Each structure stands twice: as structure tokens, then as C-alpha cells.
Amino acid sequence: MSSHATATARPRRFVATGPLIGRIRVPGDKSISHRSIMLGALAVGTTRVTGLLEGEDVLATAAAMRAMGATIERHDSGEWAIEGVGVGGLLQPAGALDMGNSGTSTRLLMGLVASHPITACFTGDASLSKRPMGRVIEPLSQVGAQFTAYPGGRLPLIVTGAAVPVPISYRLPVASAQVKSAVLLAGLNTPGTTTVIEPVPTRDHSERMLRGFGADLSVEIDTDGARVIRLNGRAELRPQVIEVPGDPSSAAFFVVAALLVPGSDLVVENVGLNPTRAALFDVLRLMGGQIVELNRREVGGEPVADLHVRHSALTGIEVDPAVVPSMVDEFPVLFVAAALASGRTVTRGLEELRVKESDRISAMRAALELAGARVTETEDGLIIDGTCGDLLRGANNAPVTTHLDHRIAMSMAVAGLASRGGVEVDDTRPIATSFPVFETLLEQLGAIAGPNA
Ligand code: S3P
């Protein structure tokens, strides 16, 4: 089921064939898609979702929720219908749950299982099997769940949920929406008040959606500025009608490509601009990027706009580490933008990037160097000296390595568009985890030649 089920890597060379001109729409937000399936699967009645991201990560979540009793169907119209089992109603899955490449599916589902009296075995691909799960095992053990994991707290991993779950109060030691959400989801089937204290705010889709489904959740800011999220468990969830906005993390690749490729003039429609997600666009504007928001509105309880982007001369910047959680997935593509800026870009506070689908600091350093960029790796970031707008040389003789990481593949595809010689990406299969139509959209815009050209 994962992208890596296909035995052989799918390499592809990316080189610009022209500016990006026109209007596109990117698929639905991955974080919101996961959550709409999970909460729909716990509500009593039928939740209807439009704009769901049909990427492999989200399909892994859907398969797991089906294996635990929910009925989930895609209609020909593209709408998804999810019939839930009710809070507390998850069933023992018959086999292992294959999470493919998806850390979000794994960590959030571990939270759900932790407060149900069932046992589940989580498996994943080579990338996911290297990622740390201790960060969720720790709080979920306090809830009463039991874990048997591979050494180092890795997958494969077996969770037996607590028959009598205990409400906990947990202060997040890392700024992680996945850990926050795992604890809150465990709290849904736990009597009493589960509390998560978040010193640094992270994406708040779980809180927004839990409220939308009727969970008893409140958020308060305490005296030292931390967010205190309280959830009273065992409330019944009401089914919802959800429209998923476009994913800002997917839009990011097209926004940066349009800024970098001369002559580009692109509108990316329907982009989710939740403030806990959208910092990349602010940083790019500070660098001189022409990105104008049109038609600001609300979709599915989230702020949304169309982004009008024009080719721009960019200037290097020191990125404020305080914005890292609000653009944590966008650094790989920001590094590409920095590689063409004039002057130096300094990023710090990115240690979490080392435990994503790959070590994104070292993977991007190596890939950008191959493409001709000037990059220095530090413990917690990259320092990049840009080309002052010149195209990169390109990486024609050796493919860049993506390490089963969709965002490295797409970022280096953008670097290819912004290069003279093109960039060969060693494996494009992981792109299907989050953005299956990425290459098709580039082809439709005429920014790359079709595979048969
Ligand atoms: C996500 C949270 C982030 C992000 C991931 C999706 C989510 O991870 O990197 O792609 O949907 O909650 P962390 O919360 O671990 O930083």
C-alpha cells in the first residue's frame, strides 16, 4: 500500500521548460485530512468530507480506521463518507496496521488505541521505522497503555490500550502537534480531564476539529504564555460536513517555483492559511517575494485565500527560530529559495528536522550542494549563500538522494526548475504520500515536459 510497494525507484530529471503561468489548485491539507477521518470514525453517524487528500499517508489512516470498525467509502463525486463507531467503540484489528511512510497516522492512531481495550501492531516503511516513537510512548504509558517497541522506541510496535485509562496532564517537551494530538485523542475515551500544556504553539487543527465535532475542549493561555488545552473525555462526537482546504505545505512548492523561475505569474487557489501553518509565506515576503493574498475567506473552519505569486528577486534573511513550528515542513523548499537569493540566509532551531521522514538538514545540504548551491550545515540548521538570482548549475551527473522523503523529492524538483542543467531526483515515488498530482500539475503548467516528451 505504501509508495515503496513498487520495487524499483522511479528517478526523474527536472529542468525548466518555461515559466509557471496560470491557475492551479493543490490537493487537500494532509493534517486536516487525517483528522477528519479519525474523528469521523469516532462520531455517531455519517461524516461527509470533500477535498480530502487522497495521498498514501491519508489512505493508510483510512485503512487503519476501517480495520478498527469504521465504514469509510469514497463516492464517485469525490466525497468521502465515514460512518463512525462512537467514542470507545474501536474494535480489535485483525492484522497489523501498515502505516507506510506516515508518522502522523502512526502517532495519532497510537493515541486513539491507547485508551481502548484493544491491541494493535503498527508497521511502516524503512523511513518510518527509523523515526522516534518514544515521544508518544512516554505520555501514553502514563494513560495506562502498554508498549512493546523495537529498540530505541521504533516500529514495529505493539500497543495494548488501557481498559481503565487515566487522565493525564502533560507538558510537551518538544514542540510537536503529533504528540499533542496523540494525548488529546487518547483523552477522548478517558473519563475526566486530559490536559496538554504547550509552551510553544504548534498547528491547532486537532483542537479546531475536536471542537467542531462537539468534544468538550477549552484552550487557555497561562501566566508564562503556554497554551493549556483541556479535554473532558467521553463526550459523544457528532458527525460533521467537512470541506478540507488546500494544503499550504503542498502549495509551498509551487509558490517557491514561481518566485524562482523567471517570467512566472501563478495563482494557487484555495490555500489554507491557518496562522500555525503559514509562516513560510511571511518569510518569503520578508525576502522580497511578491505573494499577494486574494479572496480571503473561511473554508472548513480554517482561513483560506488564493495566492498570487510573481517571479521575484529574493534577499537572504536570518529566519527567526520562533517561526519554526509554523513552517516546520517548509524548510526544505525555503532552502531552495535561499539558494537563489542575494546574500546569506541563516536558519537555526531546526533540530526537529533531523527526525522527519529523513534527516532533512543533512539531506538538503547534500542535495543542494550537488545542484551547485553554497551550503554550510550546522547542528540545528543550514547557512546558505545565494546566487543573487542566477540559476543553479544543476546536478546532471549524479542523482540527488531523497531518502524516501517526499518533501526532499519535491524541493529538489523545484531546484531543478531553477537550474540551468536540471536536477535528477533518484526516486519520485515518495511524492505520492502527500501530493500525488505534483508532477501532473507541473506538466499542465508547462513547467516541465511530460514523461513521454
Ligand atoms: C503534523 C505535525 C508535524 C508535521 C507533520 C504533520 C500533524 O509533525 O511535521 O508533517 O499533522 O500533526 P510534528 O508535530 O512531529 O512536528
Side-chain angles (χ1 to χ4, degrees):
M1 79 144 314
S2 78
S3 55
H4 322 305
T6 333
T8 47
R10 199 184 308 125
R12 183 161 189 181
R13 189 164 162 271
F14 291 88
V15 61
T17 56
L20 290 85
I21 295 177
R23 299 179 79 86
I24 59 163
R25 215 164 239 252
V26 294
D29 188 279
K30 181 153 73 74
S31 294
I32 297 174
S33 296
H34 282 300
R35 288 156 172 83
S36 52
I37 290 181
M38 291 180 197
L39 295 187
L42 286 177
V44 176
T46 304
T47 289
R48 301 189 181 281
V49 187
T50 51
L52 187 90
L53 168 65
E54 295 175 0
E56 288 168 356
D57 282 10
V58 175
L59 299 181
T61 289
M65 295 315 296
R66 277 192 197 108
M68 291 190 281
T71 304
I72 303 176
E73 281 170 1
R74 182 189 193 277
H75 296 152
D76 292 343
S77 62
E79 181 185 272
W80 286 69
I82 304 156
E83 218 180 291
V85 294
V87 168
L90 292 181
L91 304 177
Q92 169 72 52
L97 304 175
D98 179 3
M99 301 286 94
N101 190 252
S102 180
T104 308
S105 310
T106 309
R107 296 193 176 114
L108 271 57
L109 290 175
M110 282 167 70
L112 281 183
V113 171
S115 59
H116 281 75
I118 59 175
T119 294
C121 174
F122 291 93
T123 62
D125 72 3
S127 153
L128 185 59
S129 303
K130 286 188 202 145
R131 299 183 64 186
M133 296 299 151
R135 54 181 59 196
V136 278
I137 292 176
E138 208 232 311
L140 297 177
S141 298
Q142 293 176 27
V143 173
Q146 289 179 337
F147 295 86
T148 308
Y150 243 53
R154 321 267 151 173
L155 264 48
L157 171 159
I158 295 175
V159 192
T160 299
V164 187
V166 179
I168 63 168
S169 176
Y170 191 68
R171 190 178 178 92
L172 293 178
V174 275
S176 167
Q178 292 182 353
V179 178
K180 166 175 69 178
S181 303
V183 176
L184 291 174
L185 291 177
L188 277 177
N189 193 38
T190 300
T193 308
T194 294
T195 307
V196 179
I197 302 154
E198 190 179 47
V200 180
T202 64
R203 66 189 68 193
D204 64 355
H205 305 301
S206 294
E207 295 94 304
R208 285 177 190 242
M209 200 176 279
L210 279 164
R211 273 221 190 94
F213 271 85
D216 183 0
L217 179 139
S218 66
V219 181
E220 225 184 275
I221 309 295
D222 75 6
T223 43
D224 47 335
R227 287 178 82 233
V228 181
I229 307 152
R230 292 191 183 86
L231 176 83
N232 290 319
R234 299 259 162 101
E236 187 171 299
L237 299 185
R238 293 185 299 265
Q240 298 298 300
V241 175
I242 299 172
E243 193 182 340
V244 181
D247 196 326
S249 301
S250 297
F253 300 107
F254 283 86
V255 168
V256 170
L259 290 174
L260 298 184
V261 178
S264 295
D265 188 332
L266 182 70
V267 176
V268 188
E269 295 174 351
N270 199 41
V271 182
L273 292 177
N274 179 313
T276 62
R277 293 289 300 284
L280 171 76
F281 306 122
D282 300 329
V283 168
L284 290 170
R285 280 193 201 101
L286 285 173
M287 295 172 77
Q290 301 178 69
I291 305 170
V292 177
E293 281 173 25
L294 308 170
N295 192 15
R296 227 184 200 276
R297 58 204 183 271
E298 230 183 61
V299 171
E302 300 269 348
V304 159
D306 303 331
L307 297 182
H308 182 194
V309 191
R310 287 196 201 90
H311 170 65
S312 307
L314 301 180
T315 308
I317 190 178
E318 280 211 20
V319 181
D320 180 357
V323 305
V324 171
S326 326
M327 55 177 287
V328 67
D329 291 335
E330 282 62 75
F331 279 92
V333 79
L334 175 73
F335 297 148
V336 178
L340 271 90
S342 57
R344 173 169 281 196
T345 294
V346 180
T347 57
R348 285 181 288 122
L350 306 186
E351 39 285 276
E352 273 295 301
L353 263 69
R354 294 205 186 271
V355 291
K356 295 292 179 188
E357 285 81 332
S358 69
D359 175 345
R360 289 180 171 163
I361 298 180
S362 88
M364 283 306 293
R365 194 256 310 133
L368 278 173
E369 262 172 16
L370 263 180
R374 287 182 296 161
V375 188
T376 308
E377 182 173 343
T378 63
E379 219 166 278
D380 64 343
L382 290 183
I383 299 170
I384 299 176
D385 289 300
T387 59
C388 292
D390 285 349
L391 295 180
L392 292 171
R393 179 194 68 225
N396 249 342
N397 300 324
V400 299
T401 309
T402 56
H403 304 279
L404 294 180
D405 187 334
H406 54 136
R407 300 205 196 280
I408 304 295
M410 289 185 276
S411 298
M412 291 313 296
V414 173
L417 302 188
S419 73
R420 289 188 300 277
V423 168
E424 179 160 339
V425 169
D426 69 337
D427 192 3
T428 54
R429 288 173 306 165
I431 293 173
T433 61
S434 70
F435 198 167
V437 295
F438 173 75
E439 291 165 83
T440 313
L441 282 175
L442 280 176
E443 285 160 17
Q444 280 169 5
L445 284 174
I448 58 171
N452 303 319

